[in-house]
Amino acid sequence: MRDDPLIFDQSQPGRRALAQAPLHAPAVDDIPDELLRREPPGLPEVSELQVVRHYTRLSQKNFSIDTQFYPLGSCTMKYNPRGSNALAMLPGFLDRHPWAPELHSQGVMACLYELQEILARVTGMAGVSLTPMAGAQGEFAGVAMIRAYHEARGDRARTEILVPDAAHGTNPATAVMCGYTVHEIPTGADGDVDLEALRQALGPQTAGIMLTNPSTLGVFERRITEMARLVHEAGGLLYYDGANLNAILGKVRPGDMGFDVIHMNLHKTFSTPHGGGGPGSGAIGVGERLLPYMPVPVVAKEADSYRWLTEADLPRSIGRLSAFMGNIGVVLRAYVYARMLGREGMARVAEFATLNANYLMHRLRDAGFQVWFRDRRASHEFIISLKREQKELGVSAMDFAKRLLDYGFHAPTTYFPLLVPECLLIEPTETETQEELDGFVEAMVSIREEAARDPDYVRGAPYTLPVRRLDEVRAAKRLDLKWTPPGAGDGETEA
Amino acid sequence: MPFIPHTQDDVRAMLDAIGAGDPECLFDEIPAELRGVSLDGVPAGLTEQAVARLMRERAARDAGALCFIGAGAYRHHIPAAVWELTTRGEFYSAYTPYQAEASQGTLQLLYEYQTMMTGLTGMDVSNASLYDGASALAEAILMAIRANRKAKTSRVLVAGTLHPIYRQVAEAIVGAQDIRLETLDIPVRNGALDVQRAGEPGEAAAVVLPQPNFYGRLEQIDALTDLAHRAGALVIAVVNPTALALLKPPGDWGQRGADIVCGEGQPLGIPLSSGGPYFGFLCARQAFVRQMPGRIIGRTVDMDGKQGFTLTLQAREQHIRRSKATSNICTNQGLMVTAATIYLALLGPEGLRRVAAVCHGNTRRLCELLCAIDGVEPVHDGPFFHERALRLPRPAADVLTRLAEHGVQGGYDLGRHDDSMADCILVCATEVVTEEDMQQYAGLLRTVLEEMGA
């Protein structure tokens, strides 16, 4: 596989993309010398074709939904409609300045308002704010609202957030960012939260609980109504982590389960692109009692026009989480998706995501792989454990994951949740065909056969990608975080 | 059903394989009273063609105004190649690069981005982005408190000339950990900090300094940096990346340079798009790399000794460290950074310098034209960059509304944050503004003020 030199290695002094900068620039003689930079910034000097070719070639080194089946558990890698992208990038939307007056903003505000309404309906919540810029920021907003609610009632004894041990890492990290301590609740052998442990943990110190349902173990928390009752009786509030909302969209609503606040990953359930790690959008929904605390701004409709609700309208708001109104470009993509689906399409999301997951789970089980919760229904995702393959063949879940790449499949989530040994968390999503799922099963079977014949071969995978397995220990130990010009040392720093 | 490929035969065959009679059986673990929700109120589904028509009408409604607003988001020329490449499916529809071997494109690009940002800011290390400039400041403050082990306090002092919205966002985020921001006790004169009249600030963990500041004014940044360092504080610089093509990089501020640098990346090839998605950048001195939030990419080698790129220092992050992570951030703004990297490669050092110089020249010209109108004058003297506060003979909000009715977005109303500036606006003219655009604005402002009896 070819090497692509860094853009800096292709740089020649004096070369540039001439069409892209102003032809002339005025002298900057009104800024004192001591405020100006002495050396030009270290940017590459290359032609436009060099740039286009370089980044096109780099793009070809990525796996993506558009090129591969991408069954990454907990990430909902479903088709990102091209129509959503094209329509969110219409010039009228792209060129709108965030401080443009409401008079010049009624088009975009109509979309935002309608999406707020749609999201409130499908989640069973009383109000929605679209401003959080990612799932983790939505979590932050949610827990900050819980805190604001308790403080407004003068209840300062609540210092603790409960988090099941299977939760995403963002949950405990968020609770700490909101000034809480974290109390972990164990999971029972059947995959549901240990209800007795929950009872023990609840008390006057409990601010709330953060829950994903279905959980990261790929199963629905069957006693959720009971849990909600217990937490509410103890004076706490329930926070719903929307990472797995795709599993229930159109079937069950978090509001009906008893949740007080939720965040939604629009980049998962509403099919906006993940972009190689963002941008996301972490819209939040709240029940009646948290309405006054929503992050601002929020869009309101008055007669036939729309206006921003700000701190002046919501004086108890937890405030602003971004300089402007959040990731509106992402929100517009979600809006287009929601309108194309409509109520009949939305009702089918969970159904087909669940059908695909249960089908794939059964196929893998029939092929002899160990499904972790074999007596449970899969939600939109499920876990297999390769503990036996590890023990008998000496080939780990990571080895399977890397070898899958050679077969042209992105690997499932590996080693998460942490509770299950040698696990793969597999989420096929509703947009994949049966044929694609069958191909994945065949690849898994084939890799196991390879491992039985020649485990070293599987342990050496991948073979067909731009690089083979990378030395991550070296990466962390001999830090090389930027290119340095030749002769300026090797750029590495010993840790 | 949109985007669901299953035929009726597929569904039958798959249910048979599962041993389920109908799809509803798959939900039999969910308590019956929770199932069967109504989606009344959600509109019926539309084809792409029908949604396209709706969206085109709405986009057109918001289009066509002549914009002279900055105040944190700036309209720049974006080369066509930037978004043609960025929306390639391989960038657009990939996940966070956890499987490094299958993500070398994004990872190499992010490594190049980190290099470019350290070049612009004069710092040692960069992360791979945060959400936006304002939330990046909040993360920088939390990082400074962790990094400044010598300080016995978590006091954070913020320049009175910082963008007020940045301060509000930072307070909303760090306030949750009971960290309070105090205003740096230096008088603001002429729109900038009067460092000559500064007292000693007292011990602090960090001092936040903008350059240029909210009003577009340039601070006496060397003296301010040294003053903050004398107080034992780390200096957090909040900067505009376009300006850095001309202005002294934070790494060179004062005797020792800034310690942490953050800001809004939007000017680097990101469309205005109503305020997002943008991206926040964060750079720092080498010594603080382990306190940084967010993704960091490192170069390493594979089993054959070949160069490759991977996420590194992941032990700082929430998916490993959970409640002890440096931040809860997971998803960042990868696609925006993809665009910014391509933008910076296309512009290069000379292109970016020209963009910055033309923006500055255009803003000077605009102010000259507007200040030729009776009663319009600059609020401040002294050096500025590409943005300026002007005083009007009538209340700013009224004037701006009238301008908007004629299709001109005339600036940012400074009265939003300061009652004493209710007759002041902040104007900006970037390189995309022409002489004709500026003449049109000046002509309209003259007419509007006359109509208002000024």
Side-chain angles (χ1 to χ4, degrees):
Chain A
M1 180 65 76
R2 64 175 190 245
D3 247 337
D4 286 303
L6 292 165
I7 194 78
F8 299 95
D9 290 323
Q10 303 173 42
S11 177
Q12 291 294 339
R15 189 180 284 164
R16 61 197 185 86
L18 290 159
Q20 301 307 340
L23 296 175
H24 309 285
V28 179
D29 45 18
D30 57 330
I31 298 179
D33 231 25
E34 73 267 17
L35 297 178
L36 296 174
R37 81 182 292 151
R38 294 181 199 96
E39 301 284 333
L43 297 173
E45 298 179 84
V46 285
S47 75
E48 184 161 335
L49 173 58
Q50 283 182 295
V51 172
V52 170
R53 191 172 286 159
H54 178 67
Y55 291 106
T56 302
R57 288 168 64 120
L58 286 192
S59 77
Q60 291 170 337
K61 293 183 162 184
N62 275 1
F63 276 33
S64 67
I65 301 172
D66 284 4
T67 49
Q68 275 92 8
F69 180 41
Y70 214 122
L72 202 58
S74 226
C75 299
T76 310
M77 298 297 278
K78 58 176 163 183
Y79 172 57
N80 307 144
R82 282 280 152 185
S84 301
N85 183 54
L87 298 176
M89 292 189 78
L90 291 169
F93 294 132
L94 286 192
D95 295 343
R96 184 184 165 273
H97 194 284
W99 300 129
E102 286 169 356
L103 178 67
H104 297 159
S105 312
Q106 293 294 306
V108 69
M109 292 174 83
C111 298
L112 303 180
Y113 178 80
E114 289 170 16
L115 186 64
Q116 287 173 190
E117 293 290 298
I118 291 171
L119 295 178
R121 294 278 157 76
V122 298
T123 57
M125 306 308 284
V128 166
S129 166
L130 301 168
T131 61
M133 293 179 284
Q137 218 191 26
E139 290 184 33
F140 177 89
V143 179
M145 282 186 276
I146 291 175
R147 182 174 152 149
Y149 167 80
H150 290 309
E151 283 183 355
R153 293 161 50 251
D155 188 349
R156 294 178 184 275
R158 300 190 181 272
T159 55
E160 200 173 84
I161 288 278
L162 307 178
V163 180
D165 56 2
H168 295 111
T170 48
N171 289 178
T174 297
V176 169
M177 278 192 89
C178 290
Y180 284 116
T181 53
V182 175
H183 185 132
E184 278 209 348
I185 307 292
T187 304
D190 60 358
D192 288 341
V193 166
D194 181 338
L195 216 53
E196 195 41 47
L198 174 66
R199 269 197 197 93
Q200 298 290 325
L202 286 166
Q205 78 288 358
T206 306
I209 185 166
M210 300 179 82
L211 270 181
T212 311
N213 194 19
S215 73
T216 62
L217 298 167
V219 293
F220 192 88
E221 192 64 64
R222 289 169 290 193
R223 291 168 301 187
I224 181 61
T225 316
E226 170 76 354
M227 289 175 71
R229 189 180 58 77
L230 290 172
V231 174
H232 282 147
E233 276 174 11
L237 298 186
L238 283 89
Y239 170 85
Y240 181 87
D241 177 328
N244 292 344
L245 186 64
N246 213 55
I248 59 167
L249 191 69
K251 281 284 170 206
V252 187
R253 306 191 304 174
D256 299 334
M257 293 185 224
F259 286 96
D260 300 286
V261 51
I262 77 168
H263 91 264
M264 297 156 259
N265 292 306
L266 299 184
H267 50 291
K268 295 180 181 176
T269 317
F270 288 82
S271 224
T272 71
H274 286 77
S281 180
I284 56 96
V286 295
E288 294 288 347
R289 54 181 152 182
L290 292 183
L291 271 175
Y293 306 100
M294 284 201 292
V296 288
V298 178
V299 183
K301 186 176 184 184
E302 288 169 3
D304 282 332
S305 66
Y306 300 92
R307 81 175 178 93
W308 295 109
L309 298 183
T310 65
E311 296 87 345
D313 307 281
L314 292 169
R316 284 191 280 166
S317 163
I318 58 161
R320 290 176 185 263
L321 302 176
S322 70
F324 305 107
M325 300 87 183
N327 286 340
I328 287 185
V330 179
V331 171
L332 285 175
R333 284 169 174 81
Y335 173 73
V336 172
Y337 177 77
R339 293 304 306 268
M340 285 195 283
L341 251 55
R343 60 174 171 268
E344 45 305 28
M346 233 168 268
R348 299 295 174 89
V349 168
E351 193 167 304
F352 283 83
T354 305
L355 177 67
N356 273 0
N358 278 281
Y359 174 75
L360 189 54
M361 180 174 86
H362 275 80
R363 289 285 329 266
L364 287 168
R365 188 174 74 186
D366 293 347
F369 288 98
Q370 185 191 1
V371 169
W372 193 251
F373 294 107
R374 53 178 307 131
D375 300 326
R376 301 284 312 259
R377 291 281 186 205
S379 61
H380 67 315
E381 63 187 353
F382 62 95
I383 296 170
I384 65 169
S385 169
L386 298 166
K387 202 170 117 191
R388 191 167 60 223
E389 287 76 5
Q390 157 82 329
K391 195 166 161 228
E392 292 171 6
L393 307 173
V395 171
S396 68
M398 187 58 83
D399 298 328
F400 268 82
K402 299 297 184 195
R403 185 64 181 143
L404 275 169
L405 303 177
D406 282 329
Y407 279 82
F409 295 106
H410 195 278
T413 297
T414 51
Y415 300 104
F416 181 84
L418 310 167
L419 307 174
V420 182
E422 295 298 325
C423 71
L424 297 180
L425 179 62
I426 305 173
E427 179 182 2
T429 82
E430 72 276 15
T431 58
E432 296 296 333
T433 61
Q434 185 186 4
E435 303 92 276
E436 195 70 41
L437 307 182
D438 290 341
F440 181 80
V441 176
E442 283 160 29
M444 288 294 289
V445 170
S446 176
I447 293 168
R448 194 177 49 198
E449 287 166 6
E450 287 175 343
R453 273 197 311 275
D454 184 357
D456 279 341
Y457 184 72
V458 177
R459 286 196 289 261
Y463 297 98
T464 58
L465 273 76
V467 290
R468 295 188 60 203
R469 240 178 266 195
L470 291 163
D471 188 344
E472 293 190 1
V473 174
R474 178 192 160 112
K477 222 168 159 155
R478 301 175 61 177
L479 284 181
D480 173 356
L481 307 180
K482 64 173 182 187
W483 174 86
T484 41
D490 62 2
E492 287 181 2
T493 317
E494 288 290 338
Chain B
M1 219 41 67
F3 320 118
I4 292 174
H6 302 62
T7 66
Q8 285 185 352
D9 288 347
D10 292 340
V11 174
R12 195 68 267 145
M14 292 170 81
L15 286 171
D16 285 348
I18 298 167
D22 66 82
E24 202 51 37
C25 296
L26 303 176
F27 295 92
D28 54 10
E29 288 194 359
I30 302 178
E33 69 273 17
L34 294 177
R35 276 186 275 154
V37 304
S38 152
L39 293 179
D40 284 353
V42 176
L46 296 174
T47 60
E48 185 180 298
Q49 178 188 318
V51 184
R53 182 173 178 138
L54 174 75
M55 295 300 277
R56 288 206 179 92
E57 282 167 9
R58 287 184 174 172
R61 249 184 114 175
D62 295 351
L66 202 49
C67 176
F68 296 92
I69 316 175
Y74 303 93
R75 193 159 62 108
H76 289 292
H77 166 68
I78 302 174
V82 171
W83 284 90
E84 293 264 341
L85 293 170
T86 300
T87 53
R88 282 180 64 92
E90 299 94 325
F91 286 133
Y92 184 77
S93 71
Y95 197 72
T96 299
Y98 288 128
Q99 290 290 340
E101 299 85 352
S103 316
Q104 285 298 297
T106 288
L107 286 163
Q108 179 171 334
L109 181 145
L110 292 173
Y111 179 88
E112 293 179 356
Y113 162 81
Q114 290 175 181
T115 306
M116 291 175 184
M117 292 315 293
T118 55
L120 268 178
T121 58
M123 302 303 284
D124 299 324
V125 292
S126 166
N127 81 355
S129 84
L130 297 166
Y131 305 134
D132 76 346
S135 63
L137 172 60
E139 290 280 10
I141 289 168
L142 295 173
M143 174 179 164
I145 292 169
R146 289 192 298 271
N148 194 344
R149 297 212 176 87
K150 283 187 207 146
K152 288 178 201 71
T153 167
S154 58
R155 267 182 95 212
V156 175
L157 308 177
V158 177
T161 52
L162 178 73
H163 196 313
I165 301 274
Y166 275 46
R167 174 138 183 193
Q168 286 176 25
V169 172
E171 280 173 342
I173 295 172
V174 309
Q177 293 179 51
D178 297 320
I179 295 160
R180 302 284 167 245
L181 306 183
E182 295 174 36
T183 302
L184 184 61
D185 185 21
I186 303 180
V188 177
R189 203 167 63 92
N190 227 338
L193 298 174
D194 187 359
V195 67
Q196 277 70 36
R197 292 199 288 159
E200 283 304 311
E203 200 182 6
V207 171
V208 177
L209 299 174
Q211 179 80 328
N213 71 24
F214 175 54
Y215 305 110
R217 287 277 286 112
L218 297 175
E219 302 282 1
Q220 296 174 57
I221 207 68
D222 292 329
L224 288 166
T225 301
D226 291 341
L227 178 114
H229 279 151
R230 279 199 304 276
L234 296 183
V235 169
I236 300 173
V238 181
V239 292
N240 173 325
T242 306
L244 288 179
L246 287 178
L247 299 182
K248 184 186 276 190
D252 291 349
W253 290 359
Q255 303 284 321
R256 277 169 39 199
D259 301 284
I260 301 172
V261 181
C262 64
E264 176 53 67
Q266 177 274 329
L268 304 176
I270 313 302
L272 286 171
S273 191
S274 294
Y278 295 170
F279 72 93
F281 58 86
L282 186 76
C283 299
R285 288 162 53 180
Q286 183 77 39
F288 305 135
V289 66
R290 279 182 172 68
Q291 297 303 335
M292 285 187 111
R295 314 288 188 197
I296 299 174
I297 313 306
R299 179 158 60 172
T300 183
V301 294
D302 73 1
M303 292 165 84
D304 296 335
K306 187 178 164 186
Q307 161 182 291
F309 303 88
T310 184
L311 292 168
T312 193
L313 298 178
Q314 293 188 74
R316 302 164 297 113
E317 294 192 65
Q318 48 76 28
H319 61 287
I320 307 288
R321 191 58 68 84
R322 301 177 74 84
S323 65
K324 296 188 176 57
T326 53
S327 166
N328 71 341
I329 192 167
C330 175
T331 292
N332 53 37
Q333 305 285 110
L335 199 68
M336 303 296 119
V337 166
T338 304
T341 305
I342 297 168
Y343 176 87
L344 286 171
L346 283 168
L347 272 288
E350 175 59 15
L352 197 66
R353 188 192 67 78
R354 287 187 183 203
V355 168
V358 173
C359 290
H360 185 57
N362 281 349
T363 300
R364 274 193 298 178
R365 172 69 180 148
L366 177 67
C367 292
E368 191 180 290
L369 288 170
L370 299 182
C371 292
I373 301 169
D374 270 352
V376 180
E377 58 181 21
V379 180
H380 310 122
D381 295 326
F384 64 95
F385 175 75
H386 111 338
E387 205 155 13
R388 221 170 173 203
L390 301 180
R391 178 158 275 125
L392 305 175
R394 283 286 172 274
D398 297 347
V399 176
L400 291 173
T401 301
R402 293 209 178 206
L403 291 170
E405 285 163 359
H406 292 92
V408 170
Q409 296 167 0
Y412 184 85
D413 175 5
L414 287 169
R416 282 187 190 206
H417 305 290
D418 183 349
D419 290 342
S420 73
M421 298 186 92
D423 56 351
C424 300
I425 59 173
L426 191 62
V427 296
C428 174
T430 61
E431 83 281 14
V432 297
V433 166
T434 63
E435 173 71 18
E436 292 71 35
D437 295 341
M438 294 189 273
Q439 293 283 359
Q440 189 187 331
Y441 179 17
L444 182 65
L445 181 62
R446 193 182 298 274
T447 310
V448 161
L449 289 175
E450 279 167 11
E451 282 170 9
M452 295 173 79

